[in-house]
């Protein structure tokens, strides 16, 4: 079977930055270490007043198409995954196509366009749809553009305000990809949950603590489901595990559960037994509560072992470096985790071709999905071509007053005009409203 997967990726961050320990925490009367150590975040990205999900998505896609020498004719499908859409009918992908048609010769009149919604997991679902479209032989030699773009803003004063972010990831999906091949084996954990939702409102209603528990429960189910089709996962077989990363502290919790699961009945569990005992098994306990207490104790001990810490440092920590600087990008978060890991591998001079990634996506509401990816031999050139650091450094560092203004400027219920903080250059910008309430965009040289 021909390999299908991600040929190329580009990211686009919102042009503003909020320093969480330095600017946000003092205003909230909080210890900066809640951010740096607890949530694992240094900063969040924000959109400037001329940016939105369309400009960020189109800018990422523009960079990607230019770098790969792609023309509109090479693209048979454009799917945008977002939970920040501003229209219940016209999909964001039509706006993105309109932007790209301003700068490329040709058009996307024969490309199928859509919009995917399932909280943060929609980016992975779009990726999956694109791969299936190609595997079904319906692509006529063309590839698919998948764009995950979000402005993850919360109401002022909501607990989620600590984990905001804004940015887009564009991916080109094709046969014989340069970056990663996706497995056909995948596992799901899915249930009707009320942890985070936006019932026709801009800012989410969120039960943050519950969303953490639902993430973990669904991810565990997805891992078990994945193993039921692909066989047991052994830690030695996996180079990196990019998880959906609303904030790195969430991934710390998911990683511990995953490690505990994959070492069960392996020589790693046997070797650790002398130090911390074997994992509790439910059948050895009279009640669920007693089992859960014993498991908590085991995990506290496991966390302190050199085996766990070495695995975490090698397999998980490298996936978090971009997230720490940008916050939550919702649909894009798991896709920047993959980029972070491969960037670290490149910096370390590590050979990654044929190595396996286990990718754990999650969307509130709620669903987790796990699949494997095999790194392809073009990965180094693909990752080398990214300008992530440059983009992060170029962001304008907002004061508290700037932040308050820009949050209001993006609040759909407020009508405030805010001067832009940065000067757009070689990018698409929001250019006002049309006669039917549509949004208009323009490319700035
Ligand atoms: N030093 C070190 N760690 C600290 C700290 C300090 N001074 N102060 C707090 N922390 C730790 C806490 O112990 C906690 O870690 P733990 O969960 O491992 O115990 C973490 O920092 C966060 O602190 P907490 O008090 O729980 O923060 P919060 O009440 O602001 O809530 C969220 C955090 C994530 C629930 C909230 O930001 C939220 O609702 N986010 C949006 C929803 C979301 O992203 N959900 C994730 C699943 S999709």
């Amino acid at each position: 079977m021909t390999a299908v997967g991600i040929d190329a990726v580009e990211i686009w961050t919102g042009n503003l930055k909020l320093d969480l320990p330095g600017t946000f925490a003092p205003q909230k009367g909080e210890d900066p270490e809640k951010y740096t150590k607890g949530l694992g975040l240094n900063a969040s990205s924000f959109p400037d007043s001329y940016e939105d999900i369309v400009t960020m998505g189109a800018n990422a896609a523009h960079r990607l198409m230019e770098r790969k020498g792609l023309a509109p004719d090479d693209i048979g499908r454009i799917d945008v995954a977002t939970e920040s859409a501003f229209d219940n009918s016209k999909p964001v992908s039509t706006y993105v196509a309109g932007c790209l048609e301003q700068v490329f010769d040709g058009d996307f009149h024969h490309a199928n366009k859509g919009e995917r919604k399932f909280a943060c997991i929609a980016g992975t679902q779009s990726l999956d749809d694109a791969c299936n479209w190609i595997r079904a032989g319906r692509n006529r030699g063309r590839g698919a553009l998948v764009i995950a773009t979000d402005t993850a803003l919360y109401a002022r004063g909501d607990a989620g305000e600590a984990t905001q972010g804004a940015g887009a990831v564009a991916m080109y999906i094709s046969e014989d990809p340069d970056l990663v091949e996706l497995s056909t084996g995948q596992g799901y954990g899915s249930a009707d949950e009320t942890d985070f939702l936006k019932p026709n409102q801009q800012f989410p209603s969120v039960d943050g603590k519950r969303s953490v528990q639902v993430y973990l429960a669904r991810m565990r189910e997805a891992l078990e489901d994945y193993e039921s089709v692909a066989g047991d996962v052994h830690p030695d077989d996996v180079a990196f595990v990019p998880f959906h990363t609303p904030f790195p502290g969430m991934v710390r919790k998911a990683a511990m559960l995953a490690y505990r699961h994959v070492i069960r009945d392996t020589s790693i569990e046997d070797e650790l037994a002398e130090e911390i005992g074997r994992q509790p098994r439910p059948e050895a306990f009279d009640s669920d509560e007693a089992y859960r207490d014993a498991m908590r104790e085991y995990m506290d001990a496991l966390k302190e072992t050199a085996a766990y810490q070495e695995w975490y440092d090698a397999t998980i920590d490298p996936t978090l470096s971009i997230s720490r600087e940008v916050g939550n990008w919702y649909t894009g978060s798991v896709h920047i985790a993959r980029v972070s890991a491969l960037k670290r591998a490149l910096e370390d001079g590590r050979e990654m071709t044929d190595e396996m990634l286990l990718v754990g996506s999650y969307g509130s509401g709620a669903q987790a999905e796990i699949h494997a990816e095999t790194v392809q031999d073009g990965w180094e050139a693909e990752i080398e071509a990214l300008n992530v650091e440059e983009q992060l450094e170029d962001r304008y560092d907002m004061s508290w007053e700037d932040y308050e203004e820009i949050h209001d400027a993006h609040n759909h219920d407020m009508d405030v005009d805010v001067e832009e903080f940065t000067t757009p250059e070689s990018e698409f910008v929001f250019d006002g409203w049309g006669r039917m309430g549509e949004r208009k965009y323009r490319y700035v040289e």
Side-chain angles (χ1 to χ4, degrees):
M1 199 161 59
T2 323
V4 176
I6 307 171
D7 187 55
V9 60
E10 279 290 346
I11 74 157
W12 190 276
T13 176
N15 286 336
L16 307 180
K17 164 185 158 183
L18 178 64
D19 180 330
L20 292 167
T23 304
F24 190 76
Q27 287 291 334
K28 294 275 166 183
E30 289 173 329
D31 182 349
E33 293 202 338
K34 169 181 165 182
Y35 295 87
T36 50
K37 298 213 165 123
L39 296 169
L41 289 167
N42 296 325
S44 293
S45 283
F46 278 79
D48 205 338
S49 53
Y50 57 85
E51 294 185 286
D52 65 13
I53 50 172
V54 173
T55 63
M56 294 187 299
N59 287 324
H62 182 206
R63 263 189 72 88
L64 184 144
M65 287 179 65
E66 283 222 308
R67 179 164 71 72
K68 296 295 280 187
L70 294 169
D73 273 356
D74 299 316
I75 292 166
R77 185 179 173 107
I78 306 179
D79 276 323
V80 171
T82 186
E83 45 187 308
S84 322
F86 46 77
D87 192 307
N88 287 324
S89 177
K90 184 175 157 62
V92 172
S93 49
T94 59
Y95 283 101
V96 169
C99 287
L100 296 172
E101 283 169 356
Q102 291 182 32
V103 294
F104 288 104
D105 289 336
D107 59 52
F108 297 96
H109 289 196
H110 302 295
N112 184 16
K113 307 181 188 92
E115 191 171 300
R116 254 288 189 177
K117 177 180 71 185
F118 194 149
C120 304
I121 201 174
T124 298
Q125 290 181 314
S126 300
L127 177 59
D128 204 30
D129 290 345
C131 289
N132 290 338
W133 168 72
I134 293 172
R135 288 187 192 118
R138 306 177 83 181
N139 59 320
R140 297 187 242 157
R142 299 171 298 173
L145 197 53
V146 167
I147 298 168
T149 181
D150 272 299
T151 46
L153 298 184
Y154 291 76
R156 297 291 311 281
D158 189 286
E161 204 183 352
T163 62
Q164 301 179 105
V169 179
M171 293 173 273
Y172 186 62
I173 317 307
S174 72
E175 286 169 72
D176 293 325
D178 282 342
L179 191 62
V180 291
E181 175 188 359
L182 262 73
S183 66
T184 48
Q186 61 186 164
Y188 288 106
S190 190
D192 177 10
E193 297 277 6
T194 311
D195 55 337
F196 173 114
L197 53 158
K198 297 183 182 180
N200 286 329
Q201 63 196 40
Q202 183 189 5
F203 300 128
S205 298
V206 52
D207 183 342
K209 304 280 187 236
R210 179 158 167 67
S211 73
V212 169
Q213 294 314 316
V214 176
Y215 178 125
L216 297 174
R218 301 289 83 80
M219 196 63 82
R220 203 199 63 223
E221 288 169 2
L223 181 55
E224 286 168 357
D225 194 41
Y226 172 75
E227 287 186 319
S228 77
V229 291
D232 286 353
V233 174
H234 190 284
D236 293 350
D237 298 336
V238 180
F240 295 114
V241 186
F243 276 111
H244 168 52
T245 312
F247 53 94
M250 178 72 241
V251 171
R252 226 171 25 232
K253 295 180 205 286
M256 165 48 72
L257 280 194
Y259 188 71
R260 182 195 88 192
H261 179 89
V262 298
I263 63 166
R264 192 174 301 154
D265 296 325
T266 66
S267 58
I268 302 175
E269 186 187 18
D270 298 341
E271 281 157 27
L272 284 170
E274 268 183 37
E275 200 180 334
I276 58 170
R278 288 176 66 76
Q279 292 190 24
R281 292 339 196 231
E283 52 278 12
F285 294 86
D286 293 336
S287 69
D288 276 359
E289 206 188 334
Y291 167 64
R292 273 201 299 272
D293 287 348
M295 190 51 102
R296 247 192 306 274
E297 218 171 279
Y298 177 82
M299 295 215 305
D300 285 345
L302 182 61
K303 207 181 320 178
E304 301 305 322
T305 62
Y308 176 71
Q309 285 171 7
E310 279 164 23
W311 174 82
Y312 183 90
D313 288 348
T315 315
I316 303 293
D317 189 66
T319 69
L320 302 175
S321 52
I322 302 178
S323 167
R324 267 192 203 105
E325 306 304 325
V326 303
N328 194 353
W329 284 13
Y330 287 164
T331 52
S333 288
V334 66
H335 306 291
I336 54 180
R338 179 196 296 105
V339 169
S340 294
L342 293 175
K343 260 175 83 343
R344 176 75 70 82
L346 185 73
E347 284 153 19
D348 292 349
R350 186 167 161 190
E351 182 40 72
M352 285 295 295
T353 304
D354 293 331
E355 293 276 350
M356 175 179 153
L357 313 180
L358 194 69
V359 180
S361 304
Y362 172 74
S364 289
Q367 182 161 298
E369 187 260 10
I370 292 197
H371 67 260
E373 296 179 1
T374 309
V375 179
Q376 302 295 291
D377 62 6
W379 76 276
E380 265 181 290
E382 282 308 313
I383 298 298
E384 219 157 23
L386 302 178
N387 69 341
V388 180
E389 269 90 17
E390 220 177 294
Q391 286 193 36
L392 297 184
E393 264 159 40
D394 282 353
R395 290 175 299 175
Y396 169 83
D397 190 359
M398 291 185 288
S399 68
W400 177 253
E401 292 71 28
D402 297 337
Y403 164 67
E404 293 199 296
E405 270 188 39
I406 206 74
H407 199 289
D408 286 352
H410 289 290
N411 185 335
H412 298 170
D413 293 333
M414 293 177 102
D415 189 17
V416 288
D417 263 345
V418 174
E419 280 289 306
E420 49 210 40
F421 294 103
T422 55
T423 308
E425 199 188 326
S426 309
E427 62 192 278
F428 296 101
V429 297
F430 171 63
D431 197 26
W433 305 88
R435 79 186 166 89
M436 289 175 71
E438 76 275 24
R439 295 170 79 93
K440 296 170 97 60
Y441 297 94
R442 167 170 68 88
Y443 187 72
V444 174
E445 296 291 340

